[in-house]
Every structure is written in C-alpha cells, then in structure tokens.
Amino acid sequence: MPQRQRPQKPIGTITRGTTNPNRLRRVDRWLAGPQAARVRRAVDPLVVDLGYGAAPVTAVELYERLSGVRDDVEVIGIEIDPARVAAAEPLARPGLSFRQGGFELPLDGRRPAVVRAFNVLRQYGEDEYAAHWDQVRGRLAPGGIFVDGTCDEIGRRSTWATLDADGPVSLSIALRFGAFAVPSDVAERLPKALIHRNVDGERVHAYLRALDKAWVDAAAVASFGQAQRWRAMCGAVKADGWPLLDGPARWRLGEVTVAWDAVAPG
C-alpha cells in the first residue's frame, strides 16, 4: 500500500501582519491596468495574495479589483499563521479563498498567473530574499509574474520589484502627489533587494538621484499641477537614457517603472 505523502511544511516565518484597507491600491491599480492582460490570457486565472497579514482585507480588495478584469478570476490568500487563515474564512466566497502556507505556494499543483507579496520580504534578512524569490518564480504559470513590494502604512508611498520565471524584470515606484518632497523620499520603502543599496556607487542610488534632479528641474511646470511635473520629470529621465518601461498614461498617476538591470545591486 503506497504511503501517504505528508504535506510540505510551510516555508517562511510569521511576520508582523499589520495592514490597512486600501493600503495596496497603487499596486492593485497597476495589476488591473497594464498587467491585466496576464490575467485575461491565463489558462488558469489564478492570483495569489501571499502573506496577506493579520486581516484579509488586501486579498478581498485584490479579488474585487481583478474581478473587473476577468469575472472568473480566482484569488487565494496564503498565510503561514493558521490563526489568520481561520479568521479570514468567513470572508471566503466563490473566487476567493484562504489557506495556510508560505513561499512553497500550496496550490495543489496549480501555477498562478500573478503572485503578490507586499510588506512580507521586507521583514526578512537581506541574505534570505533571493531564495524566496527563486522559490516563488519557479512555481509561476508561463507568462506569470511575482510582485514583491513595500509601502507605507496607508499606501501613499509604494515600490515593487516584478519578476518572471527568468528573474527580476523591473522596479516600479508609485507615490501620492503631496506625500513627498522629492522622489527619493520613497527610499525607505524600497524592496529588500534594494533598500540597503541606496548608497554612492549603487545603480538604484544613481536612479533616485536622477529622479530628484529632474523633479527639481521641472519645478516651473508645477503651476500646471503635480501630475504634469511628474510627467516632465519622467520624460527628462527617459531622455537622459534611463530605460523606463512605461509612459505618460502611467506617469500622470505618480508611477514610473524602470528596467531592473538599471537599478540592480552592483
């Protein structure tokens, strides 16, 4: 008689779990906007909110936002703490469920189109994030992405690294106008891979300095609104040779995305 296979032990540790409603609106807007095609064309429209925290509000919001992209989308919230999973269960519904697990992604062999982990790896050591990156991206569906991000407590300042099966692809910054003096104010919210790299000689430091300079240089445009100033900043940075991957439609929202190679740790 074949032996029953034991469930894999969750990979990871319990994090603080703090969260707030609407905290992840900036990354969700991006997932439901320029990244929506990934969900639409997925054979299995499965999306994971990995490490949703002490309350499942971010998973619920993600489901509601992506339901407008594809009505048969399925969001699974994964948490390593069984008490948090039990607390989330009353909010389960068709298309939204919760289960215990970690970076191993206990999905019964299914491969997600999107995995979003926000404010999770920030709480791990700098020597740990790469292995967890590899763990998740090895389980993505073809064309899938893993979004590893960080934001402040109410979502005004946000950054995220996007990875596909081959590795990191880009770094995105999204800021609320009026919530910063210069773009580099977001430095304390960089992903774990970059947060300690904002020093002379590192690419991400040079990138943030370039954004700051272009922001200051575009001060005259501020009379037309902060969105116009941000667009002018992004246009100037792109003209200077930084490989931005988006354009004015995203810039007007206070977003900018750059190719990972331009900011990768040296």
Side-chain angles (χ1 to χ4, degrees):
M1 186 175 184
Q3 289 185 330
R4 178 178 292 180
Q5 205 171 30
R6 292 183 178 181
Q8 184 176 355
K9 182 180 178 181
I11 297 174
T13 58
I14 297 175
T15 57
R16 290 189 299 274
T18 54
T19 190
N20 281 301
N22 216 27
R23 186 182 185 186
L24 304 189
R25 61 193 178 277
R26 300 187 189 283
V27 67
D28 286 357
R29 180 178 61 188
W30 181 78
L31 288 171
Q35 301 303 312
R38 296 183 188 275
V39 177
R40 291 193 186 103
R41 65 174 177 249
V43 174
D44 183 2
L46 174 62
V47 176
V48 170
D49 187 13
L50 179 59
Y52 57 81
V57 61
T58 60
V60 174
E61 291 173 344
L62 182 62
Y63 171 71
E64 292 173 346
R65 288 160 179 161
L66 291 185
S67 292
V69 171
R70 182 167 168 171
D71 58 13
D72 63 342
V73 71
E74 181 179 356
V75 172
I76 297 179
I78 295 178
E79 247 298 338
I80 202 166
D81 183 353
R84 294 174 182 176
V85 177
E89 285 294 346
L91 294 177
R93 66 192 75 167
L96 175 65
S97 61
F98 305 91
R99 63 182 61 180
Q100 184 187 11
F103 292 100
E104 79 286 356
L105 302 186
L107 299 170
D108 305 318
R110 297 170 68 189
R111 291 182 173 267
V114 177
V115 176
R116 185 194 67 183
F118 247 69
N119 303 304
V120 176
L121 282 169
R122 174 181 176 84
Q123 300 178 54
Y124 284 72
E126 193 172 6
D127 60 342
E128 297 178 287
Y129 78 85
H132 293 316
W133 272 10
D134 292 346
Q135 186 87 23
V136 173
R137 65 186 183 83
R139 286 162 170 71
L140 295 173
I145 56 171
F146 173 34
V147 182
D148 169 23
T150 303
C151 66
D152 68 358
E153 289 72 16
I154 56 176
R156 297 169 302 176
R157 301 178 180 181
S158 186
T159 74
W160 57 90
T162 301
L163 299 87
D164 62 16
D166 296 322
V169 174
S170 62
L171 171 71
S172 298
I173 292 173
L175 300 174
R176 180 183 184 276
F177 296 126
F180 64 95
V182 290
S184 65
D185 288 348
V186 81
E188 64 182 11
R189 301 296 171 179
L190 287 170
K192 177 60 73 171
L194 298 174
I195 194 166
H196 299 302
R197 302 287 181 159
N198 185 29
V199 295
D200 284 332
E202 290 283 351
R203 297 183 186 96
V204 70
H205 179 79
Y207 176 59
L208 292 178
R209 296 291 81 73
L211 291 176
D212 283 355
K213 180 180 183 304
W215 177 255
V216 172
D217 290 347
V221 184
S223 59
F224 299 102
Q226 296 299 301
Q228 290 296 324
R229 185 178 181 182
W230 186 269
R231 287 180 60 176
M233 174 198 75
C234 293
V237 167
K238 186 170 186 176
D240 283 343
W242 289 94
L244 302 190
L245 302 181
D246 50 9
R250 305 310 298 179
W251 298 345
R252 67 180 180 83
L253 302 174
E255 283 181 22
V256 62
T257 296
V258 68
W260 182 260
D261 287 348
V263 295

